Amino acid sequence: MNELDALVESATSSFAQARTPADLENAKAQFLGKSGRITELMKGLAALPVEEKKSRGAAINLAKQGVEAALIARRQALADAELQLQLKAEAMDVTLPGRQRSSGGLHPVSLTLERIEAIFGSMGFDVAEGPEIETDWFNFTALNTPEDHPARSMHDTFYVEGGTETAPNLLRTHTSPMQIRYAVQHVKTHRALIDAGGTMPEIRVIAPGRTYLVDSDATHSPMFHQCEGLWIGQNVSFKDLKVVFTDFCRTFFESDDLVLRFRPSFFPFTEPSAEIDIQFQTGPLAGRWLEVAGSGQVHPNVVRNMGLDPEHYIGFAFGMGPDRLTMLRYGVNDLRLFFDGDLRFLTQFQ
Ligand code: DAH
């Protein structure tokens, strides 16, 4: 074996001993670096006579190519080994059984709210949401509620910080303040038209949401839901209320022979006012009158607080209890079950 073949062999074996890319680079320097063995041989050429230079140069070049080939092969081998290690470390057992993800679902009261929105939506009602922290004005005063009305008492209403002595903030006790909020906005939008004597597009809206009263037993929760309804136009009557609400109840309960009763009542914001009772003709609740909503023709003072002239605009409003509708629909007898968060109860509605 000549000296150059021995050199290539020695490079190959020193590359083979390199265990990491850094080792390999060090080994490379010994042969191909600035003062590596191949480089030194090249420098030695200068001293040779011309004829020898050529053949010797070619031989060194060949050796250099041999060293470079050995280097590249070892680099590749190290990279392959690294990849194999990584694949092994990240290996997963695709035969393991999957982890079950249980799927969630809507709360029964949410299902009711969706249903209410869909039914009234199909009758051309907008759906509006409003704040749960209200001012005394929207919750009581604008709704024609007298200063000394019992609903304003500390025993019934949760008062919260903010507001003033004469206009405190509170957790809304009903969704009725949304009548004012929505109507005021609507009237503002159409103010120019109204002032010019034109006909304002009717107000037709429902406002579902959470409401609060100081109250707690099997049929009352301090937090409960209500859904307000309001229809104001130039020619909207109590008859329309009866048609709309009867249609709603029959669709909601999927019962065409459901009977409604409008029982005279009192609310400050409506005149005349009525409680709405329903009666099923079949099923476990058949024959009993069940109260589901308050309603009435919107009081002229309330129409005025909406920014409208009660001589020209009239309509009806109602407020119903989605919690109670849910209890009736599914035959649940304790309201508290809805808010306890017990999955054994809640999963039955999925
Ligand atoms: N806000 C009333 C309550 O909480 C319910 C109600 C009655 C709403 C009559 C109305 C209405 O819009 O016209 O008891």
Side-chain angles (χ1 to χ4, degrees):
M1 186 188 288
N2 73 30
E3 166 223 2
L4 288 176
D5 288 344
L7 180 58
V8 174
E9 203 160 276
S10 135
T12 307
S13 86
S14 111
F15 294 162
Q17 280 163 30
R19 298 273 143 237
T20 65
D23 284 352
L24 185 58
E25 291 314 305
N26 284 336
K28 171 194 165 187
Q30 283 171 30
F31 295 91
L32 301 169
K34 249 195 211 154
S35 46
R37 290 169 63 186
I38 294 279
T39 321
E40 291 301 328
L41 288 175
M42 292 285 199
K43 285 181 193 161
L45 282 178
L48 294 179
V50 181
E51 351 36 283
E52 250 180 78
K53 230 184 225 172
K54 216 174 168 192
S55 60
R56 177 71 179 160
I60 295 174
N61 245 330
L62 211 59
K64 188 183 179 199
Q65 284 167 18
V67 172
E68 283 171 345
L71 176 68
I72 289 169
R74 183 59 186 153
R75 263 196 198 135
Q76 190 59 50
L78 283 178
D80 287 351
E82 171 74 21
L83 181 63
Q84 288 308 320
L85 269 181
Q86 195 183 342
L87 287 175
K88 209 167 158 192
E90 292 171 3
M92 59 176 164
D93 182 354
V94 294
T95 65
L96 279 176
R99 258 172 239 158
Q100 285 281 338
R101 269 204 192 214
S102 52
S103 58
L106 287 181
H107 189 278
V109 173
S110 299
L111 292 172
T112 294
L113 292 173
E114 281 201 341
R115 213 172 154 71
I116 292 172
E117 290 172 20
I119 297 169
F120 277 100
S122 78
M123 293 194 254
F125 280 74
D126 194 8
V127 179
E129 275 185 42
E132 290 170 30
I133 295 178
E134 260 301 3
T135 62
D136 178 78
W137 164 258
F138 284 112
N139 196 81
F140 292 126
T141 311
L143 290 164
N144 198 40
T145 311
E147 284 304 325
D148 57 355
H149 194 280
R152 290 180 181 248
S153 102
M154 300 280 282
H155 301 292
D156 286 327
T157 299
F158 288 107
Y159 286 93
V160 297
E161 285 178 2
T164 64
E165 182 93 2
T166 48
N169 282 346
L170 46 87
L171 296 184
R172 65 179 180 187
T173 61
H174 52 179
T175 44
S176 302
M178 276 307 290
Q179 287 188 34
I180 306 292
R181 284 185 180 275
Y182 187 90
V184 163
Q185 200 55 43
H186 182 94
V187 168
K188 209 165 156 190
T189 307
H190 301 285
R191 184 83 261 167
L193 179 69
I194 297 166
D195 288 347
T199 308
M200 174 190 78
E202 289 185 344
I203 295 171
R204 216 179 295 168
V205 65
I206 59 165
R210 279 187 280 271
T211 46
Y212 303 84
L213 279 178
V214 184
D215 215 349
S216 190
D217 59 41
T219 53
H220 297 90
S221 155
M223 188 288 300
F224 56 105
H225 296 84
Q226 276 200 349
C227 182
E228 199 73 12
L230 178 69
W231 187 340
I232 299 274
Q234 290 189 304
N235 203 10
V236 182
S237 73
F238 216 96
K239 175 203 71 185
D240 297 307
L241 166 63
K242 283 184 146 182
V243 170
V244 164
F245 212 83
T246 302
D247 216 26
F248 163 72
C249 289
R250 289 183 177 164
T251 309
F252 183 87
F253 288 108
E254 296 166 280
S255 169
D256 284 341
D257 54 5
L258 190 78
V259 178
L260 276 75
R261 174 172 81 176
F262 289 74
R263 184 163 38 85
S265 184
F266 172 81
F267 297 102
F269 29 90
T270 42
E271 180 61 35
S273 306
E275 308 275 1
I276 307 177
D277 302 336
I278 62 171
Q279 191 189 78
F280 295 98
Q281 304 308 301
T282 53
L285 296 168
R288 282 169 54 190
W289 284 112
L290 309 158
E291 186 185 320
V292 293
S295 67
Q297 184 169 299
V298 180
H299 193 286
N301 287 345
V302 176
V303 174
R304 220 169 272 123
N305 288 333
M306 292 172 176
L308 292 169
D309 177 0
E311 293 294 325
H312 291 106
Y313 290 94
I314 189 166
F316 65 78
F318 57 82
M320 60 181 155
D323 304 330
R324 182 150 167 78
L325 293 183
T326 312
M327 291 172 79
L328 294 174
R329 178 148 188 254
Y330 295 112
V332 175
N333 57 14
D334 192 330
L335 177 66
R336 290 170 292 199
L337 284 166
F338 289 142
F339 309 123
D340 282 347
D342 187 334
L343 287 177
R344 289 170 301 179
F345 172 72
L346 295 173
T347 51
Q348 296 178 62
F349 299 89
Q350 307 316 321

